[in-house]
């Protein structure tokens, strides 16, 4: 019998500012060396559970606890946050916000500095931890010089250095691109196996975490634990869909083909699924679902011709970039960090001017237009809604652009109300913005742009930090805009988003256009996938493993079918 | 677009090898000494002494060219302002008056004023190389550790380090916020009336302050989770023990400061007087 490291017994928690408890009757035991995944939609209480384990509750967020929680055999409420931090190491969601050192070395050392470890011993331990997470070559790099993945490695190093018993990862994939996310999961797995540490991962991206095996999955919904099962059993049950967690895509595809998912086919990993007679079923499904793509011709709206730009001399971020965006199109721009995606949108909006080359809209060179003039036709929605919101009331925020353009009060009211209805925010029109959820805030920023009636709207990571249900709502909302004639350009490395919603994907790498094609074909091109830090979708792998000769076409048919099924 | 501001560059020189704490002490003592004295002889000698480590440090002109030009501009404005507001300050100080040329109204250029302002110029010249040197040759990572060594509470010392860490991030936030504001039509350029402009700047500051508070909240959570503040003492990853060079440098600076103070006050006045009383 292994030692229990975390024991919840009929545990409940209620935040002080809230009327209802966030956690109810949690009974859960995690034993030494286990690797547990906790999934659940936003607001299910999974983050609250994590805060109870690492001590942020009650030390940073106060409230009332009921029942008992023991960490390493000791009652949590009797421990200080410092004592808890000796046992539980937490890697938070945002790799930027938790990087406190000026360099990698200092950040890893932070914990040891606080424990007043002598310098000589510290240097040794920092080195060892840096090697363990493979960041030792960057010990003197500043956070500005690192990629998201490298920052996360540093944070993990900074936690490992403290020799903790439990590693807690709070949405480790949220701000990483698909390839880096895959590497992060591999790293977590390696660290866990080498150190025998107990690992708890909190995520809603199930398929991505299951890239490496976990011992069991705990599903949370509305503050309760609704399932506590090994991966294979959970995936065979029908529970995930009910709580709004997306099951792995290859399993959805198998279900569409009429295959039943049971634990003995090893559904937990695409490489291990026993296909046998299912391959035949998939083939039949594939042949029966030949939905022809509706190829539409879009009249050109926005064009970049040979655009070159660099923040510093002789270091171009974009080189001779030429691309065309059609009217009414929904397209996505992909590429790894620093590939020039954000720069591209900033050039289109006129925040920067290209060093050479021209930008055309409706057949006119918009080079001389000011930021404000361009904003009348091109809307830009930033990733972080807090960067855009400057008013306290929702109505004022959405009206701001019109007020500044000198529109009449009557006209403003009419426009704002119309837009709020389109965005599903009309009911909240007199609310303060601070009372809205993250996804709603994001909608407010979109509404505040739409009110200016642009012809094209550019969104930077429209679904970042949102769970599947909110992702779905947001994307369906954008789709209705497209159906009404809006042109939408999305900067994203979310592969599901690309596959399901973009009609076209442009991949940037090193400042040049590497690919410009339908998403399923882009994601089927190994070379492009590698250089854009994307990864192969499991649907593609499934098609290959089933011996289908055109995997990209299979992916396309799946998406089309899935759209129809879900659209019902 | 991004000017090369005062940033530390890793180099090897006797000055770079001094610990951050030593450089901080030297900078403070040196500045105080230069502030106190108006003795031209002391200032002249100190200027020579300050240029010597500057050459020794091998810092490159382009690393500080921009800041230097800015300081020179302020220096000129300062000199002009002194003359405009107090054209006979030198006469008052030195107790004599030797006119050179009458300009207009109450403005007469005197040798005393010229000499007084020359002394101020010298003060600038004496402090400036040391200030630049301190900023250019001290590893920012050592700032906090140095302050802590001088007896500053480590929690306060660490905030210096945190500020250095997050300034670039806040700059980036500001850039994003101001871009999106401009696209909405919020104009903060000179084209707008002042009252409007102030209002517009406030509407940019609001989200900046809110995102910064959000940032601070995240950082303090992260720091707490990694045991910050649990002990009364703290060690530092980037700190170096004092070497003989540090002691020599500190000894030298003490000598210079004492000598300068003694010479300055020897005759009972902070000012060195060249002039015959008339």
């Amino acid at each position: 019998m292994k030692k229990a490291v975390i024991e919840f017994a009929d545990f409940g928690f209620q935040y002080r500012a809230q009327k209802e408890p966030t956690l109810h009757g949690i009974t859960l035991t995690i034993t030494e060396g286990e690797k547990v995944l906790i999934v659940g939609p936003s607001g299910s209480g999974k983050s609250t559970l994590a805060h109870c384990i690492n001590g942020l509750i009650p030390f940073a967020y106060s409230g009332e606890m009921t029942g008992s929680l023991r960490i390493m055999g000791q009652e949590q409420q009797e421990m200080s946050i410092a004592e808890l931090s000796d046992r539980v190491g937490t890697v938070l969601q945002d790799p930027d916000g938790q990087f406190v050192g000026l360099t990698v070395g200092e950040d890893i050392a932070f914990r040891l500095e606080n424990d007043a470890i002598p310098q000589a011993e510290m240097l040794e331990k920092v080195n060892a931890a840096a090697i363990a997470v493979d960041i030792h070559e960057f010990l003197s790099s500043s956070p500005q010089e690192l990629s998201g993945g490298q920052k996360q490695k540093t944070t993990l190093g900074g936690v490992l250095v403290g020799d903790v018993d439990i590693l807690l990862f709070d949405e480790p994939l949220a701000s990483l691109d698909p390839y880096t996310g895959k590497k992060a999961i591999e790293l977590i797995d390696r660290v866990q196996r080498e150190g025998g540490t107990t690992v708890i991962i909190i995520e809603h991206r199930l398929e991505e975490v299951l890239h490496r095996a976990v011992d069991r999955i705990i599903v949370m919904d509305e503050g309760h634990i609704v399932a506590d099962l090994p991966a294979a059993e959970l995936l065979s049950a029908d529970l995930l869909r009910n709580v709004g967690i997306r099951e792995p895509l290859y399993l959805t595809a198998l279900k569409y083909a009429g295959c039943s998912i049971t634990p003995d086919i090893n559904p937990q990993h695409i490489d291990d699924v026993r296909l046998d007679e299912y391959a035949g079923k998939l083939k039949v499904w594939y042949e029966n679902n030949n939905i022809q793509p509706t190829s539409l011709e879009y009249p050109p709206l926005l064009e970049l011709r040979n655009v070159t730009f660099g923040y510093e001399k002789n270091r171009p971020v974009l080189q001779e970039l030429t691309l065309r965006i059609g009217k009414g199109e929904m397209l996505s721009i992909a590429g790894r960090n620093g590939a020039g995606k954000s720069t591209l949108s900033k050039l289109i909006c006129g925040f920067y001017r290209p060093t050479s080359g021209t930008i055309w809209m409706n057949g006119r060179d918009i080079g001389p237009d000011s930021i404000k003039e361009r904003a009348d036709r091109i809307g830009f929605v930033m990733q972080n809604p807090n960067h855009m919101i400057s008013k306290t009331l929702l109505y004022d925020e959405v009206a701001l652009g019109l007020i500044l353009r000198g529109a009449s009060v009557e006209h403003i009211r009419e426009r704002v109300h119309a837009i709020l209805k389109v965005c599903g925010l009309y009911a909240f029109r007199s609310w303060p913005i601070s009372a809205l959820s993250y996804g709603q805030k994001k909608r407010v920023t979109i509404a505040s742009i739409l009110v200016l009636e642009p012809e094209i709207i550019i969104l930077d990571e429209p679904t970042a930090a949102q769970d599947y249900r909110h992702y779905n709502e947001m994307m369906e909302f954008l789709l209705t805009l497209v159906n009404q004639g809006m042109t939408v350009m999305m900067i994203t490395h979310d592969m599901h988003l690309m596959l399901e919603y973009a009609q076209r994907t442009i991949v940037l790498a090193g400042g040049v256009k590497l690919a410009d094609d339908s998403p399923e074909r882009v994601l089927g091109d190994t070379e492009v996938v590698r250089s854009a830090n994307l990864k192969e979708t499991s649907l593609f792998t499934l098609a290959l493993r089933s011996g289908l000769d055109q995997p990209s076409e299979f992916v396309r048919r799946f998406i089309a079918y899935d759209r129809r099924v879900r659209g019902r | 677009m991004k000017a090369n501001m005062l940033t530390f560059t890793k180099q090897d020189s006797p000055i770079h090898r001094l610990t951050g704490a030593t450089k901080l002490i030297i900078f403070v003592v040196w500045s105080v000494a230069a502030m106190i004295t108006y003795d031209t002889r002391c200032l002249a000698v100190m200027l020579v002494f300050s240029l010597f480590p500057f050459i020794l440090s091998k810092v490159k002109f382009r690393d500080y060219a921009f800041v230097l030009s800015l300081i020179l501009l302020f220096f000129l404005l300062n000199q002009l302002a002194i003359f405009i507001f107090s054209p006979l300050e030198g006469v008052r100080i030195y107790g004599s008056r030797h006119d050179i040329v009458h300009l207009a109204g109450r403005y007469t250029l005197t040798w005393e004023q010229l000499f007084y302002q020359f002394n101020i110029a010298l003060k600038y010249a004496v402090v400036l190389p040391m200030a630049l040197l301190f900023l250019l040759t001290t590893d920012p990572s050592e700032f906090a550790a140095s302050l802590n060594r001088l007896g500053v509470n480590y929690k306060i010392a660490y905030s210096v380090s945190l500020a250095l860490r997050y300034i670039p991030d806040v700059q980036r936030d500001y850039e994003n916020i101001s871009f999106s504001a401009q696209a909405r039509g919020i104009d903060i350029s000179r084209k707008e009336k002042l009252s409007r402009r102030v209002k517009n700047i406030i509407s940019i500051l609001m989200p900046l302050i809110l995102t910064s508070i959000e940032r601070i909240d995240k950082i303090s959570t992260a720091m707490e989770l990694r045991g910050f503040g649990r002990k009364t003492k703290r060690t530092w990853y980037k700190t170096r023990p004092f070497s003989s060079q540090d002691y020599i440098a500190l000894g030298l600076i003490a000598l210079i400061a004492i000598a300068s103070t003694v010479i300055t006050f020897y005759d009972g006045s902070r000012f060195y007087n060249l002039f015959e009383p008339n």
Side-chain angles (χ1 to χ4, degrees):
Chain A
M1 182 70 192
K2 280 212 167 174
K3 206 171 83 189
V5 292
I6 296 172
E7 297 157 275
F8 284 94
D10 196 25
F11 181 85
F13 179 75
Q14 180 172 354
Y15 286 102
R16 197 156 62 185
Q18 236 133 59
K19 285 204 187 88
E20 295 276 315
T22 303
L23 297 176
H24 314 262
I26 302 288
T27 299
L28 170 69
T29 305
I30 295 170
T31 55
E32 198 175 12
E34 246 193 319
K35 186 178 176 193
V36 177
L37 167 63
I38 301 178
V39 296
S42 308
S44 63
K46 60 185 193 307
S47 293
T48 305
L49 194 74
H51 291 159
C52 292
I53 296 172
N54 65 25
L56 284 180
I57 289 175
F59 299 100
Y61 311 103
S62 51
E64 201 185 326
M65 286 188 197
T66 55
S68 122
L69 164 60
R70 294 159 81 82
I71 309 273
M72 307 297 294
Q74 217 180 327
E75 198 58 48
Q76 195 256 20
Q77 276 161 287
E78 288 160 14
M79 297 164 86
S80 70
I81 189 163
E83 277 176 295
L84 273 165
S85 75
D86 284 335
R87 294 171 175 86
V88 184
T90 313
V91 176
L92 298 166
Q93 207 180 102
D94 168 22
D96 230 13
Q98 58 190 315
F99 201 117
V100 291
L102 283 162
T103 59
V104 169
E106 284 166 83
D107 192 65
I108 296 179
F110 189 74
R111 160 102 236 176
L112 302 173
E113 292 179 329
N114 294 332
D115 284 339
I117 304 287
Q119 200 189 17
E121 191 186 334
M122 189 185 322
L123 290 171
E124 223 169 86
K125 284 190 169 175
V126 167
N127 254 328
I131 289 169
V133 295
D134 194 28
I135 193 82
H136 52 286
E137 281 164 38
F138 298 91
L139 275 181
S140 53
S141 299
S142 73
Q144 282 79 23
E145 297 164 352
L146 302 175
S147 69
Q150 287 167 332
K151 279 181 205 158
Q152 200 184 51
K153 282 181 178 179
T154 306
T155 309
L156 180 53
V159 166
L160 287 178
V161 86
D163 221 4
V164 291
D165 306 293
I166 302 159
L167 286 175
L168 181 66
F169 295 87
D170 190 359
E171 307 219 9
L173 301 176
S175 41
L176 301 181
D177 60 54
Y179 175 77
T180 313
K182 182 173 146 185
K183 287 286 156 201
I185 293 297
E186 287 170 14
L187 178 65
I188 293 171
D189 190 60
R190 207 189 71 214
V191 164
Q192 192 247 352
R193 273 186 289 116
E194 281 169 5
T197 330
T198 310
V199 167
I200 300 165
I201 304 172
I202 294 180
E203 244 315 328
H204 61 260
R205 298 171 193 221
L206 183 60
E207 181 174 343
E208 279 83 348
V209 179
L210 289 181
H211 173 60
R212 284 287 181 270
V214 299
D215 293 316
R216 60 194 165 117
I217 302 175
I218 289 151
V219 185
M220 291 200 64
D221 193 29
E222 293 176 357
H224 296 274
I225 291 179
V226 291
D228 179 353
L229 295 166
E233 283 174 41
L234 178 71
L235 293 173
S236 308
D238 231 5
L239 183 94
L240 287 170
R241 194 169 305 180
N242 302 337
V243 296
I245 295 290
R246 176 159 242 189
E247 67 183 358
L249 285 179
Y250 57 89
L251 293 182
T252 314
L254 284 171
K255 284 181 183 170
Y256 286 161
C259 311
S260 56
I261 311 296
T262 51
D264 56 297
I265 68 156
N266 295 331
Q268 65 275 25
H269 199 291
I270 177 63
D271 292 338
D272 303 331
V273 179
R274 274 182 31 218
L275 287 171
D276 304 335
E277 78 273 23
Y278 287 177
K281 281 190 174 182
L282 268 176
K283 200 168 174 121
V284 172
W285 178 87
Y286 171 68
E287 278 155 7
N288 289 341
N289 280 283
N290 188 5
I291 310 154
Q292 282 305 318
T294 43
S295 67
L296 289 169
E297 278 298 310
Y298 301 101
L301 176 69
L302 189 74
E303 271 180 277
L304 271 74
R305 295 187 190 158
N306 305 317
V307 168
T308 299
F309 174 77
Y311 295 95
E312 285 162 59
K313 258 188 195 163
N314 303 324
R315 284 184 64 188
V317 179
L318 294 174
Q319 292 181 63
E320 293 287 318
L321 187 70
T322 295
L323 55 91
R324 174 187 287 209
I325 298 159
K327 193 164 179 54
E329 221 184 342
M330 192 169 192
L331 87 165
S332 68
I333 308 271
R336 66 169 79 179
N337 286 342
K341 302 181 305 261
S342 302
T343 308
L344 172 67
S345 48
K346 285 179 179 166
L347 285 171
I348 294 175
C349 294
F351 301 151
Y352 299 116
R353 307 267 157 172
T355 323
S356 67
T358 49
I359 301 173
W360 298 69
M361 189 157 182
N362 292 322
R364 192 176 68 84
D365 183 357
I366 57 167
D369 292 4
S370 70
I371 295 178
K372 194 173 166 181
E373 281 162 349
R374 291 188 199 203
D376 290 337
R377 278 179 243 116
I378 305 164
F380 182 42
V381 180
M382 305 234 163
Q383 180 176 343
N384 184 347
N386 294 335
H387 281 164
M388 299 183 69
I389 293 170
S390 56
K391 296 284 173 194
T392 37
L393 292 176
L394 196 158
Y395 180 90
D396 295 349
E397 179 63 29
V398 178
L400 181 66
L402 287 176
I403 293 171
L404 289 165
R405 279 164 176 76
S408 72
V409 179
E410 259 321 294
H411 176 70
I412 292 174
R413 186 195 305 279
E414 212 172 285
R415 286 285 318 144
V416 171
H417 282 182
I419 289 298
L420 289 178
K421 278 175 193 157
V422 171
C423 300
L425 292 167
Y426 187 70
F428 308 109
R429 63 192 177 283
S430 52
W431 280 39
I433 290 173
S434 55
L436 301 178
S437 73
Y438 186 87
Q440 287 168 331
K441 276 190 194 170
K442 189 103 186 178
R443 263 178 202 227
V444 172
T445 61
I446 295 176
S448 68
I449 293 299
L450 285 177
V451 80
L452 300 174
E453 300 183 292
E455 292 170 51
I456 174 170
I457 175 164
I458 303 172
L459 299 116
D460 194 354
E461 291 292 355
T463 58
Q466 294 176 57
D467 68 1
Y468 182 55
R469 191 168 65 83
H470 293 107
Y471 157 92
N472 230 346
E473 280 174 13
M474 173 61 69
M475 291 316 297
E476 289 300 323
F477 164 62
L478 290 175
L479 198 62
T480 55
L481 293 179
V482 172
N483 291 338
Q484 289 164 19
M486 177 68 72
T487 309
V488 173
M489 174 174 140
M490 302 168 293
I491 299 167
T492 186
H493 42 229
D494 186 327
M495 301 193 344
H496 291 165
L497 192 160
M498 260 177 244
L499 272 174
E500 290 179 340
Y501 293 94
Q503 290 142 353
R504 190 156 64 99
T505 291
I506 293 169
V507 178
L508 297 180
V512 298
K513 191 167 77 178
L514 196 68
D516 182 348
D517 207 338
S518 70
E520 63 272 8
R521 275 199 289 271
V522 165
L523 292 172
D525 184 332
T526 333
E527 181 54 30
V528 172
V529 162
R530 195 186 51 77
S531 49
N533 265 14
L534 299 168
K535 69 179 201 200
E536 206 165 72
T537 130
S538 61
L539 291 169
F540 194 85
T541 318
L542 178 70
L544 281 179
R545 285 201 53 213
S546 309
L548 298 176
D549 48 358
Q550 280 185 296
S552 291
E553 180 59 17
F554 173 78
V555 176
R556 193 191 66 73
R557 288 183 194 182
F558 169 81
I559 298 295
Y561 184 88
D562 187 55
R563 282 224 63 82
R564 262 194 340 204
V565 172
R566 287 194 300 134
R568 252 179 236 150
Chain B
M1 199 189 88
K2 277 169 191 141
N4 229 337
M5 296 298 274
L6 280 178
T7 42
F8 167 76
T9 30
K10 224 178 170 107
Q11 267 176 314
D12 189 40
S13 80
I15 307 299
H16 285 80
R17 278 196 291 274
L18 291 177
T19 66
T22 308
K23 275 180 277 203
L24 182 60
I25 297 171
I26 290 179
F27 170 62
V28 171
V29 172
W30 186 266
S31 305
V32 170
M35 289 300 154
I36 290 171
T37 184
Y38 274 90
D39 191 310
T40 319
R41 294 161 304 177
C42 289
L43 286 171
V45 172
M46 282 171 82
L47 179 63
V48 174
F49 271 110
S50 73
L51 288 177
F52 172 63
F54 207 72
I55 295 161
L56 209 62
S57 72
K58 297 186 239 168
V59 290
K60 292 191 188 66
F61 178 66
R62 62 178 161 82
D63 287 343
Y64 59 88
F66 176 71
V67 176
L68 188 66
S69 60
L70 223 94
I71 293 173
L72 283 179
L73 180 75
F74 276 105
F75 164 72
L76 285 176
L77 285 176
N78 180 234
Q79 289 282 5
L80 209 64
I82 293 174
F83 187 70
I84 288 169
F85 289 112
S86 185
L88 294 174
E89 185 68 20
V91 172
R92 201 183 55 74
I93 289 166
Y94 297 111
S96 64
R97 178 165 179 159
H98 298 84
D99 291 6
I100 304 172
V101 58
H102 178 74
L103 297 169
R106 66 191 190 102
Y107 294 107
T108 303
L109 190 62
T110 61
W111 282 111
E112 281 81 2
Q113 183 71 10
L114 212 57
F115 185 64
Y116 165 66
Q117 293 201 239
F118 168 71
N119 275 310
I120 291 177
L122 261 183
K123 276 167 176 292
Y124 263 91
V126 167
V127 175
L128 193 63
M130 284 302 190
L132 288 177
L133 213 53
F134 172 64
L135 292 170
L136 288 167
T137 66
T138 309
D139 188 342
S141 306
E142 266 189 68
F143 271 141
S146 311
L147 282 173
N148 186 219
R149 182 176 288 186
L150 298 191
V152 176
N153 181 305
Y154 80 78
K155 286 181 187 169
I156 295 165
Y158 202 81
S159 64
V160 176
S161 175
L162 269 185
L164 289 169
R165 154 73 183 91
Y166 283 100
I167 284 170
D169 288 23
V170 173
Q171 272 174 342
R172 211 181 42 212
D173 282 351
Y174 174 75
E175 199 186 70
N176 281 335
I177 291 167
S178 96
F179 278 159
S180 91
Q182 287 173 54
R184 301 272 289 282
I186 298 173
D187 194 351
I188 48 164
S189 70
R190 264 161 235 273
K191 278 188 241 161
E192 202 64 80
K193 270 195 314 225
L194 187 68
S195 59
R196 260 244 86 85
R197 235 171 103 196
V198 171
K199 232 174 136 186
N200 288 349
I201 288 173
I202 291 171
S203 54
I204 288 190
L205 286 183
M206 253 280 283
L208 184 67
I209 291 168
L210 287 179
T211 42
S212 299
I213 290 174
E214 199 182 352
R215 212 178 255 293
I216 291 165
D217 198 45
K218 264 188 214 162
I219 301 161
S220 53
T221 308
M223 287 172 69
E224 192 121 34
L225 283 175
R226 287 160 78 184
F228 187 74
R230 65 189 302 187
K231 293 198 170 168
T232 48
K233 256 172 60 185
R234 187 179 197 276
T235 50
W236 303 85
Y237 177 70
K238 278 275 183 84
T239 185
R240 288 176 291 169
F242 273 38
S243 69
S244 53
Q245 288 172 16
D246 288 295
Y247 290 114
I248 293 168
L250 287 175
L252 265 175
I253 203 77
L255 274 180
I256 294 171
I258 292 165
S260 148
T261 316
V262 169
I263 294 168
T264 304
F265 287 104
Y266 188 70
D267 49 8
S269 160
R270 283 164 69 200
F271 297 92
Y272 172 64
N273 199 341
L274 275 180
F275 301 99
E276 296 285 318
N278 51 2

